[in-house]
Amino acid sequence: MARTTTSRFSTWLNRSSLRQRYLGAALAVSATILAASLYTDYHIRQAQERSTRNIEHRNQVQLVTRSLRNDVWGTEYALQAFILTPTAWYRETVQLRIRSALTTTEKLQGLEWPQQQGLGRTLDEIDHALLELSSAANRLMDIRSDVEQLFPAARLMDETLAPARTEFLTAVQLALQELETVAPDPAQREIRDEFEAAQLSWLQMVGAFRLYVVRQAGIYSDTEKGLNDAAHDISLHHGQVLKTLERLHQLRSQPQFSLQATESLEQMTRNASVWYRAFERFRSLRQTGHWRADFPLIKDEIQPLFASIWDNLDHIDARVEEAAVRDVTHWSALAHNLRNGIMLLVALVLITFAVGYIFFQRTVLSPLSTLTRAMNQVAHGQYQERLPAPRNRETRNLLDAFQHMQHMIEQRQNELRHQTLHDGLTGLPNRLLLNDRMQQALLISARDGNPFCLLMMDLDRFKEINDTLGHHVGDEVLREISRRLQDLLRRSDTVARLGGDEFAVLLPETGIPEAQAIAGKIAQCLDRAISINDQQLLVDTSIGIAAYPDHGSDIDTLVKRADVAMYVAKNNGLTHSVYSSEHDPHSVSRLAMISELRHSFQHDELELHYQPKVAISSGELVGVEALLRWPRWNDVSIDYIITTAEQTGLIRPLTQWVIRRALEQHLAWQRLNINLPIAINLSTWNLEHADIDANIGELLDELGVPPEYLELEITENAMLKNPERAQEILQRLSQRGIRLSIDDYGTGFSSLAYLKQMPVREIKIDRSFVSDMLEDENDAVIVRSTIDLAHNLGLKVVAEGVETADIWDMLQILDCDIAQGHYIARPMSAARFTDWLRDRAQKRADTHQDSA
């Protein structure tokens, strides 16, 4: 019967799935592990109860000691604050904190655990130190509240030094006033000169004494040397006073030496002696170390008391840590006792894994290895691997799924191959496939000696259609243009869409004359109206032609030069243009720059750096100026890049990119609670296009930025090129609430007639005048006159090129409003500007605290 039961069980296992077979083995292992777990749980529960009690006691002690630490730290902080600012509030806080610390100490003494650990004496020492600290703190605060107690030398300064100084100077003035009434002669002038010399030496001596007092307060570094130098200067000047008084005594016999001069001389001699003796007593107080009464109390009593309290608290924490270590040791012993049981369980699990591995090797792993090899071959496009015969239900399902996946991969590979090389909207070849076919054309032309041409083209007025009628209409226009180009050109030609409204045409075995004829046919074909939704739409095209080998021998050069030719055609109103070196007279690098400029701002490869603008009167940050940077062409000036953009028609999208990025940065700063107006420069081209205000208004509305946070800077020459148009556009911008500023003032015609008509709020003095104003008097006159003129017109003045502290001080004297330059900060990235602003705020806060 046993054999029959075993046979039935084997039959059941053979007919079951892997899941059912695994379930039986798992149940047996689980039962064993469960029994071991229950045994382990009993011992852990016992240890946990003991540890819980110990942890509760330790937590209770730690909570109370933490509260005591907070009270002691609060006492120390409030006492330090009282020393800096002796107010009644800080005094009450010190007393309140000490009382709270005493109460907390009593609570700690009432707990059982500290007494059990032998910490009673430590707590008594803390309580005694707190009582002594309360007495010492009250004495310290009494001293700090009474200037006479704090500075014993203060009474000497008020009662002796100051009256002697006043009486000496009064006597000199009385003598000089009387000498004014006497007829001038050589003897009278000699007496007057000696009195004035005595007055000067006296003032120098008093000034040296003031420096001595300042250095005694520890404001400057190297205090001891500074005190000795100041005392030496006082002695020298006092000697000069005595010598001058001695010469006056020698002149008393002359008739011109009046009665008042005699009385003044006597009073001056007496006050000089009294003042210097008082100074020597003042100096002796300092040398004995008793010129301040609070230092010995802080050093000898209060600081040792705080140190004693902290040491005792550290001792308590150390005992708590030792108790925790004992608990950990107990747990370690428990872990050691349980290790043998765990090793038995591990051995059981390993045996189970070994048996399971042999089983799964035969039923699962071997078929999976074969299937893995088949998948690798499928990944390389090979489908010859013979699949294993299924031995169970799971393997059969996996093989079926693999065969279905193999079929779907073949289908999707074909689709992806087409999508990778073609434009998803028009179905035309994309840039990747165009480059591949150009490479083939280069190889064939190099072998056969036949030329070929590349046409680069984009559509005019396409953006207006896209923005006005929607992207779906724009997509239909692109599809229709693609169909017309495919119908027009040969089968051997390649028409590619590069993105947006940009297309390229590769004409194999075609010379320049034939390419020009084809470009004319393309322009004529696209000139026909496109009918979409009962609307007749017209688009124009600008085509640039570059030929191999005349214009380049590699793909990048041909693309760049065809791009240059296309911009030439666009700027000159032509349907097509052939590349010529006359269109690019500067350098080969300019070709690359023109070609890459559009790609750079479309893919955010340009950067904006920001330079702060600071109010001179208050030092507050009032705004930033956004400055364009192009890392890829960092050795080319931004002015040259802007000029190139104007010449190639890229200034419009470039301006929109700059304004959008600046407004987005403003929103990012606003989330950090940084609200600063951002200034942006407008070029001459911008003022020649009447829709600039509408475009800026749309950006402001789209991003939700208030217009007062945008400031536009326009140069004088840009406004004077077409004053009427400039005034009209600036009026519309001003009506939108946008701030306007005249940039580089002084370098143009500086026309007052137009200046008073323009709706601007400020003018920026060009850096060429500001940076040289200290050396060049003419520049200084220009700066001063410009500031006065602007203020009379109700405008603010911004000085650019503030490079040094001397220029800042001069601008402050001239009542200039705002400064900008390297003395404040160089232009920096947005992230660096945020760090700079944080550092600047910290420095200003520290300065304010020190002054307080």
Side-chain angles (χ1 to χ4, degrees):
M1 183 175 180
R3 292 180 179 178
T4 303
T5 303
T6 304
S7 177
R8 290 179 180 177
F9 183 73
S10 300
T11 303
W12 178 80
L13 284 177
N14 291 332
R15 290 185 303 179
S16 300
S17 67
L18 289 176
R19 183 181 299 133
Q20 292 172 329
R21 297 177 187 180
Y22 179 77
L23 180 61
L27 287 174
V29 175
S30 298
T32 304
I33 295 176
L34 178 60
S37 299
L38 292 175
Y39 177 78
T40 303
D41 179 69
Y42 171 75
H43 288 280
I44 293 177
R45 197 186 301 271
Q46 296 295 323
Q48 185 178 11
E49 290 177 358
R50 290 193 298 270
S51 296
T52 300
R53 290 193 298 270
N54 293 336
I55 290 173
E56 288 178 353
H57 290 311
R58 290 199 302 271
N59 288 341
Q60 192 175 24
V61 172
Q62 285 180 327
L63 287 174
V64 178
T65 55
R66 187 178 297 115
S67 177
L68 181 56
R69 281 180 176 274
N70 290 336
D71 289 334
V72 175
W73 179 86
T75 302
E76 190 172 3
Y77 175 79
L79 189 59
Q80 292 174 355
F82 182 87
I83 292 174
L84 295 175
T85 309
T87 62
W89 187 86
Y90 284 126
R91 186 186 189 103
E92 294 175 359
T93 302
V94 171
Q95 296 170 348
L96 179 63
R97 284 289 190 174
I98 293 177
R99 288 196 298 271
S100 177
L102 290 170
T103 303
T104 306
T105 304
E106 292 178 2
K107 183 177 179 180
L108 192 58
Q109 290 173 328
L111 298 178
E112 295 181 2
W113 190 88
Q115 303 299 331
Q116 295 173 355
Q117 301 296 322
L119 295 173
R121 182 176 179 181
T122 301
L123 296 178
D124 292 340
E125 290 179 358
I126 293 176
D127 186 71
H128 180 70
L130 287 172
L131 293 174
E132 291 185 357
L133 179 63
S134 176
S135 175
N138 287 329
R139 295 201 308 274
L140 175 63
M141 290 186 289
D142 290 339
I143 292 173
R144 288 293 297 178
S145 301
D146 189 348
V147 176
E148 292 185 357
Q149 291 188 53
L150 181 61
F151 296 104
R155 179 176 298 175
L156 184 63
M157 294 174 63
D158 291 339
E159 295 179 356
T160 304
L161 290 169
R165 173 182 60 83
T166 303
E167 291 176 4
F168 185 94
L169 294 176
T170 301
V172 172
Q173 291 298 322
L174 291 174
L176 291 175
Q177 290 175 6
E178 186 179 43
L179 291 172
E180 288 288 343
T181 62
V182 180
D185 57 28
Q188 186 268 351
R189 282 195 296 272
E190 182 180 5
I191 296 172
R192 179 179 178 81
D193 291 342
E194 292 297 337
F195 272 104
E196 289 179 347
Q199 182 182 32
L200 177 60
S201 299
W202 181 268
L203 291 176
Q204 289 174 341
M205 181 183 68
V206 172
F209 174 74
R210 290 173 178 170
L211 182 59
Y212 181 88
V213 174
V214 171
R215 289 192 176 275
Q216 179 173 278
I219 296 177
Y220 297 104
S221 61
D222 199 1
T223 303
E224 191 63 32
K225 181 179 182 303
L227 286 170
N228 292 332
D229 292 343
H232 180 263
D233 292 342
I234 292 172
S235 299
L236 288 178
H237 294 310
H238 183 259
Q240 289 290 349
V241 171
L242 295 180
K243 290 179 181 179
T244 306
L245 293 177
E246 183 178 353
R247 290 195 296 271
L248 285 172
H249 278 289
Q250 294 173 0
L251 296 174
R252 290 179 60 177
S253 59
Q254 297 185 12
Q256 289 83 356
F257 208 94
S258 62
L259 178 61
Q260 179 59 52
T262 302
E263 293 179 357
S264 294
L265 179 59
E266 294 295 334
Q267 188 174 3
M268 290 163 61
T269 304
R270 183 173 58 256
N271 287 325
S273 176
V274 170
W275 190 93
Y276 194 73
R277 287 197 302 273
F279 166 69
E280 289 180 338
R281 290 198 302 273
F282 185 92
R283 187 179 183 186
S284 66
L285 284 174
R286 186 261 164 192
Q287 292 174 341
T288 58
H290 296 291
W291 71 280
R292 287 191 63 162
D294 56 347
F295 285 172
L297 182 58
I298 293 173
K299 180 179 179 182
D300 299 334
E301 295 188 36
I302 292 179
Q303 289 181 347
L305 288 173
F306 274 116
S308 174
I309 294 172
W310 290 122
D311 290 341
N312 286 320
L313 288 174
D314 291 339
H315 178 63
I316 295 174
D317 290 341
R319 296 297 292 273
V320 172
E321 185 67 24
E322 291 174 2
V325 170
R326 287 196 298 270
D327 281 347
V328 172
T329 304
H330 179 74
W331 277 100
S332 298
L334 178 61
H336 178 75
N337 294 331
L338 296 176
R339 182 173 56 187
N340 294 331
I342 294 175
M343 290 179 64
L344 291 176
L345 289 177
V346 169
L348 176 62
V349 171
L350 289 176
I351 294 172
T352 304
F353 282 165
V355 174
Y357 176 77
I358 296 172
F359 175 74
F360 281 106
Q361 174 68 29
R362 186 176 64 86
T363 59
V364 176
L365 298 180
S366 179
L368 283 180
S369 297
T370 305
L371 187 60
T372 300
R373 289 194 300 270
M375 293 178 69
N376 287 330
Q377 291 183 354
V378 169
H380 293 84
Q382 302 175 7
Y383 305 95
Q384 292 80 17
E385 178 70 19
R386 183 177 179 180
L387 300 179
R391 296 184 178 183
N392 49 63
R393 186 191 314 163
E394 286 81 3
T395 306
R396 183 182 304 106
N397 293 338
L398 182 61
L399 292 174
D400 293 341
F402 174 76
Q403 290 173 344
H404 177 69
M405 179 194 69
Q406 180 177 330
H407 173 72
M408 296 301 297
I409 287 175
E410 291 184 61
Q411 181 178 349
R412 291 180 180 175
Q413 278 182 335
N414 295 331
E415 295 176 357
L416 287 174
R417 188 177 295 109
H418 184 271
Q419 293 176 2
T420 303
L421 300 175
H422 292 79
D423 175 52
L425 176 65
T426 62
L428 293 176
N430 58 15
R431 189 184 297 272
L432 183 63
L433 183 54
L434 175 65
N435 289 344
D436 181 69
R437 293 186 179 177
M438 285 184 66
Q439 188 63 40
Q440 296 179 20
L442 282 170
L443 296 175
I444 295 173
S445 296
R447 182 192 63 194
D448 300 338
N450 295 324
F452 70 87
C453 289
L454 175 67
L455 277 59
M456 299 291 291
M457 53 184 289
D458 70 355
L459 306 178
D460 300 331
R461 296 197 299 274
F462 176 76
K463 185 178 184 303
E464 298 177 7
I465 295 174
N466 223 22
D467 295 343
T468 305
L469 302 179
H471 292 285
H472 63 285
V473 175
D475 292 345
E476 287 298 325
V477 170
L478 293 175
R479 292 191 188 97
E480 175 60 25
I481 290 174
S482 300
R483 285 192 291 269
R484 292 186 183 183
L485 291 174
Q486 288 177 304
D487 294 340
L488 176 67
L489 298 172
R490 304 168 296 183
R491 294 177 60 86
S492 60
D493 300 334
T494 298
V495 182
R497 180 177 178 235
L498 306 182
D501 61 347
E502 290 185 279
F503 292 84
V505 177
L506 177 62
L507 303 175
E509 299 182 1
T510 304
I512 293 177
E514 295 87 348
Q516 288 179 296
I518 294 174
K521 292 180 180 179
I522 292 175
Q524 185 178 3
C525 175
L526 299 185
D527 191 49
R528 299 197 308 271
I530 299 175
S531 178
I532 298 178
N533 297 333
D534 298 330
Q535 297 187 36
Q536 301 298 315
L537 305 177
L538 295 175
V539 294
D540 295 331
T541 183
S542 300
I543 304 174
I545 303 172
Y548 172 86
D550 296 343
H551 301 147
S553 58
D554 59 85
I555 295 175
D556 290 340
T557 302
L558 289 171
V559 170
K560 292 173 183 176
R561 294 186 173 178
D563 216 13
V564 171
M566 180 185 69
Y567 287 129
V568 172
K570 182 184 293 291
N571 292 336
N572 295 312
L574 304 175
T575 58
H576 64 273
S577 174
V578 179
Y579 173 80
S580 172
S581 59
E582 296 178 356
H583 302 152
D584 189 22
H586 300 293
S587 65
V588 176
S589 62
R590 186 170 183 268
L591 295 173
M593 183 178 69
I594 295 172
S595 178
E596 293 175 7
L597 183 56
R598 174 181 291 182
H599 178 274
S600 293
F601 65 71
Q602 286 179 347
H603 294 80
D604 285 335
E605 295 178 357
L606 300 176
E607 295 179 359
L608 287 184
H609 285 197
Y610 302 87
Q611 187 173 34
K613 297 162 66 176
V614 175
I616 296 179
S617 59
S618 64
E620 295 294 329
L621 186 64
V622 297
V624 295
E625 181 178 3
L627 301 171
L628 182 64
R629 295 292 184 269
W630 192 2
R632 183 180 297 183
W633 293 81
N634 57 5
D635 55 340
V636 179
S637 70
I638 293 300
D639 291 339
Y640 179 75
I641 294 174
I642 295 299
T643 302
T644 303
E646 291 177 340
Q647 294 173 353
T648 57
L650 292 178
I651 190 64
R652 179 190 181 98
L654 179 60
T655 301
Q656 292 178 341
W657 183 91
V658 170
I659 296 176
R660 176 180 290 275
R661 288 298 173 271
L663 296 179
E664 290 174 348
Q665 185 59 54
H666 171 78
L667 294 177
W669 283 338
Q670 192 177 51
R671 289 190 289 271
L672 299 176
N673 200 26
I674 301 173
N675 295 292
L676 293 173
I678 298 181
I680 298 172
N681 290 283
L682 289 185
S683 71
T684 305
W685 183 94
N686 296 124
L687 294 183
E688 295 177 356
H689 290 72
D691 60 346
I692 181 66
D693 62 311
N695 294 335
I696 295 176
E698 291 173 2
L699 285 175
L700 290 171
D701 296 338
E702 175 187 346
L703 299 176
V705 177
E708 61 267 21
Y709 286 105
L710 176 63
E711 180 178 355
L712 300 178
E713 298 182 358
I714 306 98
T715 62
E716 291 179 83
N717 293 336
M719 292 189 301
L720 296 178
K721 185 174 182 180
N722 192 337
E724 292 74 19
R725 176 184 289 273
Q727 183 175 1
E728 178 184 353
I729 293 176
L730 294 181
Q731 287 290 352
R732 294 202 300 266
L733 290 171
S734 178
Q735 291 171 2
R736 290 180 179 270
I738 298 172
R739 303 166 61 175
L740 302 175
S741 173
I742 298 177
D743 195 14
D744 298 338
Y745 185 83
T747 60
F749 297 101
S750 304
S751 173
L752 298 180
Y754 290 117
L755 178 60
K756 67 180 183 180
Q757 297 175 5
M758 296 297 178
V760 296
R761 301 186 181 182
E762 66 180 26
I763 61 176
K764 300 184 70 174
I765 305 176
D766 187 73
R767 67 179 66 250
S768 61
F769 302 108
V770 176
S771 59
D772 296 332
M773 62 184 295
L774 298 180
E775 290 79 22
D776 192 333
E777 181 62 23
N778 293 329
D779 288 347
V781 171
I782 292 174
V783 172
R784 181 170 59 251
S785 302
T786 302
I787 294 173
D788 294 338
L789 171 64
H791 287 171
N792 291 334
L793 294 175
L795 303 176
K796 289 188 175 181
V797 181
V798 180
E800 292 181 303
V802 180
E803 309 294 342
T804 64
D806 293 336
I807 295 178
W808 171 283
D809 294 338
M810 178 59 72
L811 291 171
Q812 193 172 31
I813 294 173
L814 297 179
D815 199 25
C816 185
D817 301 299
I818 300 171
Q820 178 181 349
H822 292 176
Y823 173 71
I824 302 167
R826 294 177 177 272
M828 65 195 85
S829 64
R832 178 68 187 90
F833 176 80
T834 305
D835 296 337
W836 175 86
L837 190 62
R838 187 183 301 110
D839 295 341
R840 183 175 186 269
Q842 183 63 45
K843 291 178 181 178
R844 289 173 64 86
D846 294 342
T847 303
H848 177 73
Q849 184 176 3
D850 293 340
S851 63

